[in-house]
């Protein structure tokens, strides 16, 4: 008697032995996770929790953080450098820029010299409180010899006599030499009054008003003392000004500021202008010219507000949401602006601009971009199709930390590992600002705490204790069209002393998570977990824990079932 042949039920085994991070989309790869918390790529291909953070300090009334030699911040209307109070600042959020030894605070326009400890304003002004005298002089402020003022030349002059010729539209200073009146090519005027020179320094470009048409305007200070300033100017008649005179060294109102090649650069949305200061002098913006040391300004014709500014690859970039203005050149005489209609920086996400390794990353309106002076490339597919806003970011090694808000108002801290090309989600932290110093990355929370991403490197700080973490897979088996089920799941993992591990399953999108395995460890242990889940169309797993654990592999064995 011959029995009929029976077809054996085929079984397939798949193993994931590398974990490639977050993929918050409808289709999730076998080695990716739909959602997660507090995981990282540090030990890739093994899945492990992120490093413990450190709470460095709490600063009441935080207004921003920065790093320049030491960690510094503004809080409670005070500026602190390395923990020491330096000076008062105005209310409101701050923007910091470093230039040489200076930390410069905007919008206050305060310059702090980290070497000398001096605090000085970028802008300066003087208002007349006593009579002022104006007289032609030499470049060092000293008087000339005999000077005759008038429309006709003096009679019987001697060699070395001076004549202030007032016969033309502009006065001209002449010196008698070799029997003729010769023009003095550069002339100076000394303006003397109580305290007029005290706010300024030699080389400042200042705007003078109230001194008369011959003096009013912008001039460079050639010499000074507290009681006088010497300016380059068309020679003026000797005069006394009773009142109403002002002298100002102004700074343009700028939305975003950065530094490149020993200059500060800034932009104004209201005026559609781009500026840079004099070479090496962040307090002087008015000495416009083509010389290597001059300041510079230009108007742009693009629509919309500026959304950020940064220096990258030897050029300065001024961003809008739909374009970027790139300033190239080495001096005002050859500066030129090149406009590119590309995905720009999202409004409100100016703090997302960071250089990671040799690439610039930022949050655009629709994605997170990597830019290499060409066309921006989106690298945020793993974050899904939702929209994010108000991003700020920082860099630690090859990791790009970005904190941003989703469409529902919830905050998320994501990390992009540039070397491995993968995303991880840490938690719901709202980081208002980041600052990098000596290989460490600090961030300021909305609870006014300064945190360090690598707690073990912060001596004396409060290190974060064991925390919860989890990883949720996508729907398993949805890629198979015929009937099938998962007949066995194996997970290879290790748990540190005192840590716990739990595995849950959700069947056929029920919304209910069922615990199918849990374990604690009194000592560090490695183990394999064999699981037999319920028969279903598809299943999701959630692996979670408290404390340090590692997941080395996830394997599943599937079998084809009947059509019933």
């Amino acid at each position: 008697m011959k029995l009929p042949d029976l077809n054996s039920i085929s079984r397939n085994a798949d193993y994931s032995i590398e974990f490639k991070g977050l993929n918050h989309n409808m289709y999730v790869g076998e080695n990716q996770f739909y959602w997660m918390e507090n995981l990282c790529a540090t030990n890739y291909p093994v899945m492990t929790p992120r490093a413990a953070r450190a709470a460095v300090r709490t600063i009441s009334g935080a207004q921003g953080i920065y790093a320049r030699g030491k960690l510094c911040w503004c809080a409670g209307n005070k500026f602190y450098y390395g923990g020491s109070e330096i000076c008062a600042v105005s209310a409101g959020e701050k923007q910091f820029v470093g230039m040489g030894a200076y930390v410069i605070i905007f919008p206050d326009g305060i310059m702090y010299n980290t070497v000398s400890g001096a605090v000085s304003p970028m802008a300066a002004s003087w208002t007349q409180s006593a009579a002022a005298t104006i007289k032609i002089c030499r470049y060092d402020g000293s008087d000339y010899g005999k000077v005759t003022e008038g429309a006709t030349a003096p009679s019987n002059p001697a060699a070395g006599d001076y004549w202030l010729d007032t016969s033309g539209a502009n006065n001209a200073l002449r010196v008698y030499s070799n029997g003729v009146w010769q023009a003095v090519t550069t002339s100076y005027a000394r303006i003397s009054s109580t305290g007029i020179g005290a706010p300024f320094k030699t080389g400042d470009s200042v705007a003078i008003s109230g001194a008369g048409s011959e003096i009013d305007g912008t001039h460079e200070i050639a010499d000074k003392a507290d009681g006088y300033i010497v300016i380059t100017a068309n020679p003026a008649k000797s005069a006394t000004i009773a009142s109403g005179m002002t002298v100002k060294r102004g700074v343009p109102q700028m939305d975003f500021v950065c530094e490149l090649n020993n200059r500060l650069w800034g932009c104004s949305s209201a005026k559609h202008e781009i500026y840079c200061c004099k070479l090496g002098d962040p307090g002087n913006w008015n000495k416009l010219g083509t010389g290597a040391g001059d300041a510079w300004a230009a108007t742009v014709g693009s629509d919309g507000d500026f959304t950020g500014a940064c220096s990258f690859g030897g050029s300065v970039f001024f961003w809008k949401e739909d374009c970027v203005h790139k300033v190239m050149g080495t001096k005002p005489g050859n500066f030129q602006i090149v406009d590119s209609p590309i995905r720009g920086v999202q409004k409100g996400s100016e703090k997302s601009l960071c250089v990671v390794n040799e690439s610039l990353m930022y949050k655009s309106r629709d994605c997170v971009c990597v830019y290499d002076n060409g066309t921006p490339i989106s690298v945020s597919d793993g974050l899904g199709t939702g929209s994010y806003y108000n991003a700020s970011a920082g860099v630690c090694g090859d990791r790009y930390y970005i904190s941003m808000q989703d469409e529902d108002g919830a905050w998320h801290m994501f990390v992009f590992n540039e070397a491995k090309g993968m995303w991880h989600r840490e938690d719901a932290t709202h980081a208002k600002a980041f600052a990098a110093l000596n290989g460490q990355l600090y961030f300021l929370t909305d609870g006014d705490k300064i945190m360090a991403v690598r707690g073990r490197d912060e001596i004396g700080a409060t290190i974060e204790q064991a925390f919860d973490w989890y990883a949720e897979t996508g729907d398993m088996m949805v890629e198979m069209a015929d009937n099938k089920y998962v007949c066995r799941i194996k997970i290879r993992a290790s748990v540190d002393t005192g840590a716990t591990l739990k595995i849950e399953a959700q069947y056929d999108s029920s919304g209910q998570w069922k615990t199918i395995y849990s374990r604690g460890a009194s000592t560090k242990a490695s183990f394999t977990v064999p699981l037999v889940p319920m028969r279903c169309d598809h299943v999701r797993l959630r692996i979670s824990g408290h404390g340090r654990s590692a997941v080395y592999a996830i394997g599943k064995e599937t079998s084809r079932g009947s059509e019933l």
Side-chain angles (χ1 to χ4, degrees):
M1 179 177 178
K2 183 178 180 181
L3 296 176
D5 293 335
L6 297 176
N7 294 327
S8 61
I9 298 176
S10 63
R11 290 190 175 187
N12 296 310
D14 298 311
Y15 287 90
S16 295
I17 57 174
E18 59 176 352
F19 301 101
K20 292 188 175 180
L22 183 66
N23 184 358
H24 194 59
N25 290 286
M26 183 174 291
Y27 178 79
V28 183
E30 291 285 349
N31 52 5
Q32 297 174 318
F33 294 95
Y34 179 76
W35 203 233
M36 63 176 61
E37 186 163 302
N38 286 328
L39 297 179
C40 69
T42 302
N43 298 302
Y44 172 83
V46 180
M47 183 181 78
T48 57
R50 62 167 172 80
R53 298 168 181 164
V56 178
R57 66 173 64 227
T58 299
I59 53 175
S60 178
Q63 298 166 266
I65 61 171
Y66 186 63
R68 190 76 173 182
K70 296 180 181 180
L71 194 64
C72 50
W73 58 87
C74 286
N77 293 9
K78 300 286 185 181
F79 170 63
Y80 297 84
Y81 182 75
S84 300
E85 181 182 326
I86 302 301
C87 63
V89 295
S90 64
E93 187 176 357
K94 302 306 176 190
Q95 183 179 177
F96 302 88
V97 183
M99 179 175 167
Y102 286 104
V103 173
I104 305 169
I105 307 167
F106 289 92
D108 300 66
I110 292 174
M111 302 186 297
Y112 171 65
N113 190 308
T114 60
V115 176
S116 69
V119 177
S120 57
M122 294 180 68
S125 64
W126 171 86
T127 301
Q128 185 177 0
S129 60
T133 59
I134 301 174
K135 188 176 182 180
I136 60 172
C137 65
R138 292 186 171 87
Y139 72 93
D140 60 358
S142 61
D143 289 330
Y144 284 105
K146 182 180 179 181
V147 180
T148 302
E149 299 179 2
T152 59
S155 58
N156 302 317
D161 285 353
Y162 287 88
W163 167 38
L164 181 59
D165 182 359
T166 61
S167 62
N170 294 314
N171 297 339
L173 182 63
R174 308 182 191 282
V175 61
Y176 194 73
S177 178
N178 297 322
V180 295
W181 289 103
Q182 299 182 10
V184 177
T185 55
T186 303
S187 57
Y188 301 88
R190 185 182 68 234
I191 307 173
S192 302
S193 187
T194 303
I196 188 172
F200 309 107
K201 64 182 184 300
T202 300
D204 280 353
S205 291
V206 294
I208 301 174
S209 64
S213 59
E214 294 174 326
I215 295 295
D216 284 356
T218 300
H219 304 275
E220 185 171 358
I221 296 177
D223 190 40
K224 58 140 282 184
D226 284 355
Y228 70 84
I229 59 172
V230 176
I231 61 172
T232 54
N234 289 326
K237 297 178 183 178
S238 298
T240 298
I241 308 298
S243 63
M245 186 175 168
T246 62
V247 183
K248 296 181 179 180
R249 185 186 70 219
V251 176
Q253 294 295 315
M254 296 174 286
D255 301 312
F256 304 104
V257 187
C258 64
E259 185 275 338
L260 179 69
N261 295 335
N262 206 22
R263 296 180 188 267
L264 288 188
W265 296 77
C267 59
S268 168
S269 295
K271 294 187 176 181
H272 300 279
E273 290 178 338
I274 292 172
Y275 317 94
C276 76
C277 70
K278 285 178 65 175
L279 183 66
D281 190 348
N284 270 284
W285 299 76
N286 299 320
K287 178 63 169 62
L288 303 178
T290 59
D294 289 338
W296 178 81
T299 301
V300 298
S302 61
D303 190 26
D305 292 340
F306 288 105
T307 57
C310 68
S311 58
F312 172 67
S315 298
V316 183
F317 294 79
F318 293 97
W319 296 89
K320 296 187 175 182
E321 284 205 317
D322 299 306
C323 70
V324 65
H325 300 283
K326 178 181 179 181
V327 183
M328 299 187 298
T330 58
K331 59 183 179 180
N334 62 22
F335 285 156
Q336 58 178 322
I337 301 175
V338 177
D339 302 340
S340 299
I342 61 175
R343 284 171 290 182
V345 174
Q346 182 184 46
K347 190 171 185 177
S349 294
E350 67 278 358
K351 295 179 184 178
S352 67
L353 285 158
C354 292
V355 177
V356 188
N357 292 332
E358 288 73 45
S359 298
L360 180 67
M361 294 189 66
Y362 61 89
K363 174 66 174 67
S364 73
R365 185 188 289 119
D366 302 316
C367 59
V368 177
C369 291
V370 170
Y371 179 73
D372 288 312
N373 267 318
T375 301
I377 299 172
S378 172
V379 293
S380 56
D381 289 348
L383 302 184
T385 57
S387 297
Y388 292 92
Y389 309 91
N390 303 320
S392 61
V395 176
C396 186
D398 55 11
R399 289 167 293 163
Y400 176 72
Y401 288 75
I402 182 168
S403 174
M404 49 189 177
Q405 195 173 24
D406 66 21
E407 297 163 302
D408 297 323
W411 287 92
H412 305 271
M413 177 85 87
F414 296 106
V415 181
F416 180 70
N417 191 297
E418 195 270 345
K420 298 178 176 66
M422 62 182 70
W423 287 94
H424 286 76
R425 178 181 178 274
E426 291 205 344
D427 56 15
T429 293
H430 173 197
K432 298 193 292 185
F434 289 83
L437 179 67
N438 299 330
Q440 177 68 280
L441 180 65
Y442 302 90
F443 61 88
L444 176 64
T445 73
D446 56 357
D448 287 355
K449 287 186 178 181
I450 297 179
M451 303 290 296
V453 300
R454 300 194 305 188
R456 67 181 185 275
D457 296 335
E458 287 298 306
I459 299 174
T462 303
I463 308 301
E464 184 179 24
Q465 299 303 305
F467 50 84
D468 294 334
W469 58 269
Y470 75 86
E472 178 184 330
T473 69
D475 291 334
M476 296 181 176
M477 303 179 298
V478 294
E479 72 279 4
M480 299 174 63
D482 51 357
N483 291 341
K484 72 287 177 187
Y485 64 96
V486 177
C487 55
R488 187 177 296 274
I489 295 174
K490 292 182 178 180
I491 296 178
R492 179 66 177 170
S494 68
V495 180
D496 280 9
T497 303
T500 61
L501 180 73
K502 182 169 68 173
I503 302 171
E504 299 168 282
Q506 182 183 134
Y507 301 103
D508 296 338
S509 302
S510 66
Q512 300 295 318
W513 290 99
K514 295 184 177 181
T515 300
I516 55 178
Y517 181 85
S518 63
R519 176 168 181 162
S522 57
T523 59
K524 184 173 182 179
S526 298
F527 50 88
T528 299
V529 182
L531 306 173
V532 181
M534 293 171 52
R535 185 165 177 172
C536 60
D537 176 74
H538 58 273
V539 62
R540 284 192 176 209
L541 293 182
R542 184 163 66 187
I543 306 171
S544 62
H546 181 80
R548 303 299 299 177
S549 298
V551 178
Y552 298 95
I554 299 177
K556 71 176 187 297
E557 190 176 293
T558 60
S559 178
R560 299 175 188 267
S562 68
E563 299 201 8
L564 298 178

